[in-house]
Amino acid sequence: QALPVLFKQWLKNEEVEEGGTAVLHCELTKPNAPVEWRKGDTVLQPSDKYEIRQEGTHVELFIYDAAAQDA
C-alpha cells in the first residue's frame, strides 16, 4: 500500500501590500502529487488572479493584485 502524501513544509502566513503579489508555498513528501488550493469551500483555478506552479515536491500559489478579500 502506498504511503500518503504529507507536508514536509507547511504553509506560512504571508503579508503583502494591497495590489501586490502574495506567494504561498509548501513542500510535499512525494513529487508531482495532485494539489488543490482552496479559499474556504472554493477550489482556486489558474486565472489572471491565481497562478499555480508545481515542480517536484515544491508547490506555489501566486495571488496577483492582492486585495483584502484574498485574506
Side-chain angles (χ1 to χ4, degrees), residues 18-62:
E18 195 162 347
T21 299
V23 181
L24 301 173
H25 52 90
C26 63
E27 187 175 354
L28 308 173
T29 56
K30 288 186 180 180
N32 303 314
V35 173
E36 194 172 74
W37 290 91
R38 294 175 171 260
K39 181 180 179 209
D41 292 333
T42 304
V43 176
L44 303 179
Q45 300 294 330
S47 65
D48 290 343
K49 179 79 173 169
Y50 305 111
E51 180 182 352
I52 298 167
R53 295 183 190 171
Q54 185 167 3
E55 186 174 318
T57 59
H58 297 276
V59 186
E60 295 178 310
L61 171 67
F62 292 77

